[in-house]
Amino acid sequence: MIVRIVSALVLAPLTLALLFFGTSQQLCVVVSLIVAGLLYEWHRFRPPLVRVDLALSICLGWLLVISHCMGRADWLPALLTGGLAIFLGVATWRFSPENRVLDRTGFLVFGQIYCTMPLVLFLQIHAMPHGPSLLGMLLLIVWGTDIGAYFAGRAFGKKKLAPQLSPGKTWAGFYGGLAFGTLAGWLAATLLLATYKPWHILLLGLILSLVGQWGDLAESMVKRESNVKDSGSLIPGHGGLLDRLDSLLLATPVLNLCLFGVDLIGN
């Protein structure tokens, strides 16, 4: 518990400082490193670890991030499609009846969609007007949801939320996470995004908190299927990068969609 708190107290300020005071180049470098770490943990879910698959996956992930950082987001569809073609080509070269080509290729491509594309969208939001403030709000919603779920679950948790996926999660923790995450989002928006209407922020906070908890359960499902407890051990008290970022990986695309919807309605 103490190790978990200390890790959070160190990493949270560093993350916010990078968002608000770091350059776009620095953010791109950090995101590229995170993408490599996420894809490495993702490939460990399907042992044995195939180095060729991992190297191709990380290279494609970096190309997706770099293309956005260079202002060439129009390259993303071509890169994803080209990556699929390369994966299929390598699978064809190594084909055997036991290789399960469709299963392996689908696993590689989904790894890019799950691990890389949300962080590309994270960079996209950062480049928007008020982008750092929007991401700061998103992070506080995710962190607030985790804190609320943890303490509400410990204090009032009896009925299990999804015992087959994550035995420790309870309905009390779920509701506590929603309440605390929504409140954290509202407070963050009040400080950082005064132009937004309060009820819009409350609704957005509720949606992102809900999706964040869904992301947590989704990663638990993957770990359960792979028969592992944590995706890694990089972050003391938290496990791996996927364990720490699972909520963010689903909440970021939803925030992007919400912003797109607001912009579409506004026009």
Side-chain angles (χ1 to χ4, degrees):
M1 177 64 179
I2 295 176
V3 175
R4 184 182 180 91
I5 293 174
V6 171
S7 295
L9 291 175
V10 172
L11 291 175
L14 289 176
T15 303
L16 293 174
L18 178 64
L19 277 184
F20 287 98
F21 304 111
T23 65
S24 57
Q25 291 82 3
Q26 290 170 338
L27 187 61
C28 284
V29 170
V30 172
V31 166
S32 297
L33 294 174
I34 292 173
V35 163
L38 289 173
L39 290 171
Y40 171 71
E41 291 180 358
W42 176 255
H43 279 259
R44 289 179 67 244
F45 284 143
R46 285 289 182 89
L49 183 66
V50 181
R51 294 182 180 180
V52 173
D53 290 350
L54 176 61
L56 287 173
S57 190
I58 291 177
C59 286
L60 178 57
W62 281 347
L63 285 174
L64 292 169
V65 172
I66 292 169
S67 66
H68 180 274
C69 294
M70 292 174 58
R72 298 312 306 258
D74 55 320
W75 291 356
L76 296 180
L79 286 171
L80 276 174
T81 307
L84 174 60
I86 292 172
F87 289 151
L88 284 171
V90 172
T92 303
W93 171 52
R94 297 185 325 186
F95 175 77
S96 68
E98 298 80 20
N99 205 18
R100 299 183 63 85
V101 173
L102 291 178
D103 178 68
R104 195 74 195 178
T105 304
F107 177 77
L108 293 169
V109 174
F110 187 78
Q112 296 296 330
I113 296 172
Y114 180 53
C115 298
T116 305
M117 291 307 297
L119 293 181
V120 173
L121 294 175
F122 189 91
L123 293 173
Q124 187 179 78
I125 296 172
H126 188 267
M128 295 178 179
H130 310 295
S133 296
L134 287 166
L135 292 175
M137 178 194 69
L138 172 62
L139 289 174
L140 289 175
I141 289 172
V142 170
W143 296 340
T145 300
D146 285 346
I147 294 170
Y150 178 79
F151 285 105
R154 284 179 65 90
F156 309 108
K158 292 182 179 179
K159 189 175 181 181
K160 301 296 183 181
L161 175 63
Q164 290 185 335
L165 298 180
S166 184
K169 290 181 173 56
T170 63
W171 281 103
F174 172 76
Y175 292 123
L178 280 183
F180 209 81
T182 302
L183 177 62
W186 181 78
L187 290 174
T190 301
L191 295 173
L192 302 173
L193 298 163
T195 57
Y196 284 73
K197 293 180 180 179
W199 75 270
H200 285 167
I201 294 301
L202 287 173
L203 179 60
L204 184 61
L206 182 65
I207 292 171
L208 294 177
S209 179
L210 178 62
V211 172
Q213 295 195 68
W214 183 13
D216 194 350
L217 284 174
E219 200 238 351
S220 296
M221 175 183 65
V222 176
K223 290 191 294 185
R224 179 72 60 170
E225 183 175 294
S226 303
N227 197 29
V228 297
K229 183 178 184 297
D230 295 317
S231 66
S233 57
L234 182 64
I235 306 173
H238 293 269
L241 285 170
L242 274 170
D243 296 321
R244 183 63 270 174
L245 299 179
D246 50 8
S247 298
L248 193 66
L249 292 177
L250 260 65
T252 299
V254 171
L255 174 59
N256 192 280
L257 285 172
C258 290
L259 295 173
F260 175 76
V262 169
D263 183 64
L264 189 65
I265 293 172
N267 291 329

